[in-house]
Each structure stands twice: as C-alpha cells, then as structure tokens.
Amino acid sequence: MRAYWKLTQAQLILFARNRTVIFFSLVFPILLMMALGTFLGGGGDVRLKGVVIDQDGTVDSREAVAKLTALRSAGLTVASDETQARDALKRGDLQLVVMIPKSFEEQLRIGKAKVHVLYDEKSQTVSQIGVQLIEGVVDALSKERTGYAPVVGVEASPVQSLGLKYIDFLVPGIVAMMIMSSNLNGVAGQIASWRERGVLRRMQSTTLRARTFIAAQITARLILNGSQALIVLLLGAFAFGTRVSGSWALVVMYVILGTLVFMSIGFIIAGLAKTPESAGPIAGFVSFPLLFLGNVFFPISSMPELLQPVVKALPITHLAHAMREVMNVGATLGDLWLDTVWLIGWLIVAFVIASMTFKWE
Amino acid sequence: MHSTWSRRCNACGYEQQYEGAWRCAMQQRTQEVGAEAHRDAVIDVHELVKRYGDVPAVRGVSFHVSRGEIFGLLGPNGAGKTTTMEMIEGLRIPDGGRAIVAGHDTKTALHRVKAVIGVQLQSTSLFDLLTVREITELYASFYANPVPILPLLESMILTDKLDSRVKSLSGGQKQRLAIALALVNDPLVVFLDEPTTGLDPQARRTLWDIVLRLKERGKTIILSTHYMDEAHVLCDRICLMDKGTIIALDTPDQLIARLEADRAVVFRVSEQLRGEEDKFVAFREACAQMEGVQTVSVHGDVFSLYTSNVQRSLIDVIQCTERCGIVVDQLSTRSATLEDVFIRMTGRSLREQ
Ligand SMILES: Nc1ncnc2c1ncn2[C@@H]1O[C@H](COP(=O)(O)OP(=O)(O)OP(=O)(O)O)[C@@H](O)[C@H]1O
Ligand SMILES: [Mg+2]
C-alpha cells in the first residue's frame, strides 16, 4: 500500500516538474480553447440551417417543399420527424423548422393556407433572416396561385432553445481532447522511454508488484486528467459562461472511462514501438487525425459521408459526444448508453491487447 | 591483432593444443575451490545457460559464493557477466541450469529472492526529475522492511545532495545513489554491475571504499568489472569469464601465482621488423626459447615475455636483438597482473577491440 501511494505521488511530482507535460496537457488546450472560443464562440454561425417537414403530402404541399428547398440561402432540407427537428432546434443544431401542416391543400383552395415556422429565439438575427426568406417564398407561391391575392400566410413561432454557441460545443471537446492526447502521448512516450532506459527493469528487480505499479499509474493519471478537466470547465465557465447542465457524477465517470480507454491504447503503442523515439510520433500520428475527425472541433455531421462510419466508431467521438450531451443538454446515463457501450467496448479490447503486447523490457 | 603462445602449459606442464579448451591444473583447482566454498554458500549457481536466439551468451556457468565474500566477475565485453548476474537476480530467465539465492530458487521463489538482494544494474537510469530523497523514499516503499534512509544516504556521502534532482548529479554521485538504492532493503547480497565504469580515478577510489565498507558490514557482494586492478583490490575471489564460460576461478593472488612467471619483460620492436615476416617469426620463436620465459605474447609490435627469471631474460633479449640487428624500444619490466592471467588463458587482452 505504501508503494502504491509513493508511486502515485512520485508520478504526480514527475508531471508537475515536466514542462512538456504541463504545456501539452494544460497550457496548449487552454490556449486553443481561448483562441477558438474568442474568435468563433461569440459570433455564431450566420449560415442558416433548417428543415422542412411536409405533413400534408399532397401535390400542392410537395410543390411548396420544392420551392422552399430550392432556396439556397435558407439552407433547408427535407425532414420527416417533427420531434427530432424540434429537438435539434432546441440544441441549436437547426435555426428553422418549417412545417407544412395537414390539410394544406384544402386550406389553399379556400385561401387560408398557413406555413408554420419554428425558429430559435436565442439566435434572433439569424432566425429573423430565415423567417423573412421563407415569407418571401411563400408570398411568391401564393401570388403565383391566385394572381396577387395572398392565400398563403406564414405563422412564425419562437421556440425556447438552450442558446448553445460554438464554445458550448468546444469546451467538452477540449476536455475529451486533453484526455486523449495526455494519455495516448503521455503513456506511450513515458512507458517506452522508461523501458528503454531500464527504469522498469530496475523496479522489476525489487519486490514491487506489477499490479501496484499499474494501479499507481492509473491513479496518478486519473488525478491529472481530473484536474485538467476541472480547470478547463472552470475556465470555460468564467470566460465564456459555459456550464454543466447534467450531473457532475456523469462528467467524472466519462473522465475516468476516457482515461482508461486512452491509457490502454497508450500502453499498446508503448508495447508496439521499437524505440522510445518512435513511440511519440506513433502516438501523435494516431491522435492528430482523431482531433479533426473525432467530434472535437467539428461536428461529425460536417465530415464527408465516406468517413462517417469510421468517425462513428472512434472512441474520441463517443467521449466528446457524451461529455457534450451531459454538459449541454443534461443527458442522463440512459440517454448515453450507446456512447457508454462503445467506450466500454474500446476499453475491453484495448486492455486485452495492451496486456498481451506489454513487456517490461 | 595476433598473438603467439608457447605450447606447453607452464602451470602444470600439460602440452596444450593451441585452440580449444584448456584442461590443466589451473582449472582443476578452480573446481576444488568451488567445492570448498559450497558449505556456507549464499549463492549457488549450477550450469546456468542463456541463449539469445541461436547465440549462446552464457554456456554452463557454475559457482558458489560464500557469505560475506566479495566475488568478482572479470572479463572482456560480451563475456556474459551481466547476463550471469541478471539470471541470478531473476531479471533474465535462464535457458538451463539453476540459481539459488539464500536458499530460494529463482525459478520458484523469485519474490523471496528479490526481498534479500539489492541490485545496481549496468545500464539503468532513474527518474531524473525526482530528488535524491524522493527517489530513495520511493524505492524504500517497495520493500516490507526498509532501512532508515537518512543514515543510508549519509553512508553513501550523499547528504549534501538530498534535495538535488537526480539529473543534476555527477557520474560518481549517480553511481553512489544507485548503490544506496540497492541497499534500501538491507539486502543479504548486493549485485554491483560495473559500478566504476566511466568514473574518474578519484570517484573510483571513493567507490572502492564504499564497497569495502559494505563487506565490513557483512554484505555479500557480487561485482563485475573489466578493470583488473579493481578486481585485485576488491575481490576475495575472481571468476574470470570469457565467451560465456568460466576460464578460471580463484583468489587474485593464486591466479597470478599460477602463472609461475611473476614478472613480464615488455618492449616494442621497430616498425620495419613487422614488414619482414620471416625475421619477425624467427625472433618470436627465439624469445619463446629463452631460459625462464614461459610465455610470449605479441600485440602488434609490443612483445610481452612472461618470465620467472627477469634478469636472465633481460640479458637474453638485449643480446638476441643485438645479434640480429633488431632495434628495441621502451624496454621495461613489471609484475604480472590479472590481465596477464587473462591473456595467458585466452590469447586476448581484457580490453581489446
Ligand atoms: N538482450 C540481449 N539480446 C541479444 N543479445 C544479448 C542481449 N544481452 C546480451 N546479449 C549478448 O550476450 C553476450 C553477453 O552479454 P553480457 O551483457 O552478459 O556481457 P558482459 O560481460 O556484461 O559485457 P560488458 O562488459 O560489455 O558489460 C554478448 O555477446 C551480448 O551481445
Ligand atoms: Mg555487462
């Protein structure tokens, strides 16, 4: 037990005294967050994104849909599920939901047709532009039908959204990124170099048990990652007003799960790397694309279709997604079972491979 | 480099084949000494074998080490010293044979073995960013009953450096720290693998003192080195190793006495003679035939004549070279050393390459 505490303590001292560790695990992510948050976080996205839902399904309603989607600048696509669309609107993934209600065709005949537009009240400006665009289309449609007697109106209703901005997307992503890179690069580089330099053999010649060593490594890294996450979350809260809507216990759970997954992958890289010099680059090679593909800075939906299946299998994608849902939407474990299962699956597979490939010398 | 040998074993009069194993009295005695030591052995090594791929690194090494003894493993690079030591420490798994430390077999009771040994590895680095105190406390925590660390570090002359980082220590200080760490569990047996390699003469002396004080405290020490002077000063018995086998095992004095040629006459011949192959060979033969000369060893243009009658040999050398018109240079005599024993047994010097 004393060995466990001493080793944990020693590892924490090593973290604190190693400038590269401090820089890459804390300073760099914070700078990145500050920079991206300041330049992109406040402004928001002026590109409109919305969906049209055709609840009528008649010739006239289809024509209206075609007209609406033809309008490039409104960025409307066709959707079918109203609940899903409302949800996306609430989260800020969409700014507009246009609904062509049932009996649109009938109403049109008697000159009373209406199109419902739901918009995000938090992003007023953007939504106003959107509503106006749609009004324009509807107006044209109606004039075309009746020769300038307006038969179709627009009924716009605001929807209370969570008011999420890019920074809300970014902060959980940054936490996930820190967990990934500090473990992947840290474990791989450190273990490979300790092995090369005989540090591990020296410990192997004492009565220290391997399990004690590994337990201490895990503890120290959990403490490191936990404090990193806390610092970033607090900074996000103070500088940009981000917050954790869901339970802190879940945040902690995903920090732990993420740490274990990426530590195991780090051990695999350490086991496979021939030299400590190659462990670092391999870890970098693995983690760098993950940053861009893995839901950290950009939403998965912005990835090319071809890469989607790959992206959806990555552990970082699920870690970032779970963090984001807990923080932004207050999701519960029940909502996040899929991400959780993916992460646990990764943990089991990576752990098994790590224990097969690991060598002390 | 090439070297030449007289054909007769001067230790026992056995006619030796130039290549191949020596089975003369010197090795006979090696085995007897081994048997004597058996009774209070802390370490009992039997027919240890280690191969790396197809290459044998240690081929059947057996010896016993008694309690309180400083046991030296002496041999050139690649002789198998480190491999032998690390098999006893349980860090490498032998391909054959067994090692028993304080009654525990390294195969079946490794954890018990580890509890009673202290290890300083040939190439190890410690956590550079920890301080001397922190790392010593860390290693102490690995054992059930560690010694108090302040007196330990004081005895290793590291009190001034308690709060310095390992990174900032000098080579000698690092080596002393490595030895301190090998002592945190108050071990029965201490393994020191080339503790003085790469140190300056003064740091080496300091380390010798430390090793001798450990012996006074009753520790059994297994030490490897390729410095013969160090082996001579420190070791109670020396195990001479070459190419994975033991070529001699005895006390330093006995090893040298076995040469029966207690002095060496050393000189350099002129470059030009080396060009004349026939004359060179004839001169070498003549040297070997001189009275009292047991062995002639030639390294490049340096001749070493091991002789039991140094005066006679000097005169012979001078007369012979005068007669043949050979110019000699840097003529000197010295006592035979462990190095000479090694050269005698293997035909190579301890630190050639
Ligand atoms: N891990 C290894 N893999 C392959 N070969 C090895 C390994 N370790 C040692 N050897 C080989 O085994 C032989 C004995 O090596 P060893 O390190 O035991 O020699 P040594 O006497 O300690 O030499 P030195 O004085 O250089 O330390 C050498 O030929 C070496 O190349
Ligand atoms: Mg060695």
Side-chain angles (χ1 to χ4, degrees):
Chain A
M1 211 49 195
R2 229 181 51 250
Y4 167 74
W5 288 119
K6 276 282 173 197
L7 270 169
T8 306
Q9 184 196 341
Q11 177 66 73
L12 290 173
I13 294 176
L14 291 179
F15 285 145
R17 290 186 188 159
N18 190 330
R19 292 207 189 89
T20 359
V21 168
I22 293 181
F23 182 78
F24 280 106
S25 61
L26 208 56
V27 180
F28 177 67
I30 286 174
L31 288 179
L32 199 65
M33 178 177 83
M34 290 308 213
L36 290 175
T38 309
F39 296 124
L40 303 174
D45 201 343
V46 268
R47 246 191 44 222
L48 269 174
K49 228 178 128 194
V51 294
V52 189
I53 299 174
D54 181 358
Q55 292 172 325
D56 196 32
T58 54
V59 178
D60 283 320
S61 72
R62 265 182 238 126
E63 191 192 335
V65 169
K67 283 247 154 60
L68 284 167
T69 48
L71 188 73
R72 279 283 168 107
S73 47
L76 292 175
T77 51
V78 181
S80 55
D81 187 348
E82 187 186 337
T83 342
Q84 236 175 43
R86 277 177 181 272
D87 232 33
L89 185 64
K90 228 170 156 179
R91 264 185 226 170
D93 291 349
L94 296 176
Q95 283 92 38
L96 294 168
V97 175
V98 182
M99 283 185 297
I100 307 200
K102 242 185 158 56
S103 69
F104 175 79
E105 192 170 39
E106 284 162 37
Q107 303 275 344
L108 189 66
R109 296 230 178 84
I110 56 169
K112 279 188 178 164
K114 281 239 179 308
V115 170
H116 294 302
V117 178
L118 307 178
Y119 63 88
D120 174 0
E121 64 158 19
K122 284 264 171 60
S123 50
Q124 282 275 350
T125 42
V126 177
S127 307
Q128 286 311 318
I129 297 169
V131 172
Q132 274 164 21
L133 280 170
I134 288 162
E135 272 171 348
V137 175
V138 170
D139 231 32
L141 182 76
S142 132
K143 281 171 186 158
E144 189 181 290
R145 271 303 163 102
T146 60
Y148 297 97
V151 287
V152 186
V154 169
E155 192 182 81
S157 29
V159 168
Q160 179 116 45
S161 84
L162 295 163
L164 298 179
K165 295 191 234 104
Y166 180 63
I167 188 74
D168 297 292
F169 180 86
L170 185 65
V171 169
I174 293 274
V175 172
M177 174 194 90
M178 287 197 317
I179 292 175
M180 174 179 77
S181 61
S182 99
N183 286 300
L184 218 57
N185 301 322
V187 173
Q190 189 177 54
I191 296 296
S193 120
W194 282 358
R195 192 174 51 215
E196 169 80 8
R197 289 159 53 216
V199 173
L200 294 182
R201 302 188 80 224
R202 179 63 187 85
M203 286 196 274
Q204 211 194 340
S205 72
T206 70
T207 48
L208 176 68
R209 305 271 187 187
R211 56 171 181 265
T212 312
F213 172 75
I214 291 167
Q217 277 288 305
I218 292 175
T219 313
R221 293 209 166 259
L222 282 177
I223 294 173
L224 176 76
N225 288 322
S227 7
Q228 285 173 318
L230 191 67
I231 291 173
V232 167
L233 292 183
L234 288 179
L235 230 99
F238 285 118
F240 302 106
T242 60
R243 62 195 186 285
V244 176
S245 333
S247 99
W248 276 92
L250 267 187
V251 172
V252 171
M253 189 198 91
Y254 285 110
V255 169
I256 294 176
L257 203 51
T259 304
L260 294 179
V261 169
F262 288 109
M263 270 187 83
S264 306
I265 301 178
F267 269 104
I268 298 178
I269 296 175
L272 296 181
K274 290 258 170 352
T275 64
E277 289 74 32
S278 66
I282 294 178
F285 189 74
V286 171
S287 62
F288 195 69
L290 293 192
L291 286 184
F292 293 95
L293 295 178
N295 205 8
V296 171
F297 301 118
F298 315 107
I300 331 178
S301 54
S302 64
M303 292 295 136
E305 202 62 38
L306 200 68
L307 286 175
Q308 295 268 347
V310 178
V311 168
K312 282 182 183 149
L314 296 175
I316 182 75
T317 309
H318 294 284
L319 182 61
H321 182 252
M323 282 282 175
R324 207 163 272 147
E325 294 294 287
V326 175
M327 283 185 59
N328 293 343
V329 194
T332 61
L333 191 57
D335 302 329
L336 297 172
W337 67 271
L338 189 65
D339 291 314
T340 314
V341 167
W342 266 103
L343 287 172
I344 291 176
W346 267 98
L347 175 60
I348 293 171
V349 172
F351 184 82
V352 168
I353 299 179
S355 45
M356 286 187 323
T357 50
F358 186 72
K359 24 188 199 301
W360 283 99
E361 45 180 300
Chain B
M1 292 276 149
H2 74 191
S3 47
T4 319
W5 290 91
S6 69
R7 297 213 145 200
R8 199 170 54 88
C9 173
N10 294 296
C12 59
Y14 178 80
E15 282 295 324
Q16 82 144 343
Q17 304 307 308
Y18 182 71
E19 291 278 64
W22 255 45
R23 288 281 170 246
C24 66
M26 196 175 300
Q27 287 197 334
Q28 208 71 46
R29 178 170 154 83
T30 296
Q31 274 154 20
E32 282 158 18
V33 172
E36 269 164 37
H38 200 148
R39 271 165 245 127
D40 54 346
V42 203
I43 289 179
D44 171 357
V45 170
H46 185 74
E47 288 297 323
L48 275 182
V49 174
K50 181 76 189 175
R51 277 180 294 270
Y52 294 108
D54 283 343
V55 189
V58 171
R59 4 178 155 197
V61 162
S62 306
F63 57 79
H64 298 92
V65 181
S66 317
R67 190 176 286 262
E69 186 177 27
I70 302 186
F71 186 84
L73 291 171
L74 181 65
N77 291 120
K81 306 182 293 291
T82 299
T83 308
T84 303
M85 288 173 90
E86 293 190 352
M87 282 192 286
I88 308 172
E89 293 154 8
L91 284 174
R92 300 190 199 195
I93 313 289
D95 294 318
R98 61 175 158 73
I100 290 170
V101 181
H104 308 296
D105 193 321
T106 52
K107 263 201 208 111
T108 53
L110 186 54
H111 203 71
R112 295 226 184 93
V113 170
K114 285 176 176 176
V116 297
I117 63 172
V119 171
Q120 175 250 316
L121 298 173
Q122 178 172 5
S123 53
T124 196
S125 55
L126 304 160
F127 302 98
D128 280 346
L129 294 175
L130 294 185
T131 64
V132 168
R133 187 203 302 269
E134 285 162 351
I135 197 159
T136 315
E137 280 174 356
L138 178 66
Y139 274 79
S141 78
F142 297 164
Y143 294 98
N145 297 304
V147 296
I149 68 155
L150 287 180
L152 171 64
L153 289 174
E154 197 186 325
S155 71
M156 291 300 135
I157 330 167
L158 285 168
T159 313
D160 294 348
K161 293 285 167 184
L162 277 180
D163 295 309
S164 312
R165 298 203 181 163
V166 173
K167 201 178 180 169
S168 69
L169 298 183
S170 74
Q173 289 162 344
K174 269 192 191 135
Q175 250 349 336
R176 297 207 298 270
L177 175 60
I179 296 176
L181 296 184
L183 296 172
V184 283
N185 58 331
D186 196 18
L188 222 54
V189 187
V190 186
F191 292 85
L192 304 176
D193 197 350
E194 300 196 14
T196 64
T197 298
L199 299 188
D200 60 74
Q202 198 202 332
R204 284 179 69 202
R205 306 254 157 194
T206 314
L207 241 127
W208 290 0
D209 286 343
I210 285 174
V211 172
L212 290 171
R213 263 189 285 129
L214 285 180
K215 180 188 159 73
E216 277 167 24
R217 283 167 47 197
K219 302 273 174 237
T220 307
I221 296 162
I222 303 210
L223 173 137
S224 84
T225 178
H226 31 208
Y227 298 113
M228 59 214 163
D229 54 340
E230 179 167 299
H232 202 155
V233 170
L234 294 180
C235 300
D236 296 315
R237 280 189 308 145
I238 290 171
C239 174
L240 261 183
M241 288 189 74
D242 187 41
K243 296 179 177 163
T245 53
I246 298 180
I247 53 172
L249 197 171
D250 211 328
T251 64
D253 291 339
Q254 283 297 333
L255 283 175
I256 292 168
R258 292 275 134 186
L259 273 174
E260 281 191 0
D262 58 340
R263 309 259 323 156
V265 174
V266 183
F267 55 87
R268 187 185 285 271
V269 297
S270 62
E271 273 298 324
Q272 150 226 346
L273 180 67
R274 290 194 65 198
E276 304 167 50
E277 190 67 30
D278 290 348
K279 198 168 172 187
F280 189 83
V281 173
F283 176 60
R284 201 173 60 198
E285 281 300 314
C287 288
Q289 301 303 321
M290 285 170 194
E291 190 189 332
V293 172
Q294 315 275 0
T295 309
V296 178
S297 136
V298 183
H299 282 276
D301 50 3
V302 178
F303 279 64
S304 303
L305 277 51
Y306 298 103
T307 173
S308 51
N309 186 344
V310 74
Q311 190 179 6
R312 183 72 250 153
S313 301
L314 272 174
I315 295 168
D316 286 351
V317 166
I318 289 167
Q319 283 178 346
C320 179
T321 50
E322 181 124 306
R323 223 173 24 242
C324 313
I326 293 169
V327 183
V328 299
D329 193 11
Q330 298 172 12
L331 178 65
S332 65
T333 74
R334 59 171 175 80
S335 311
T337 64
L338 289 170
E339 173 101 33
D340 300 318
V341 178
F342 186 83
I343 292 173
R344 165 76 175 285
M345 311 267 321
T346 66
R348 286 172 298 112
S349 98
L350 268 173
R351 270 181 291 154
E352 76 187 336
Q353 250 154 38

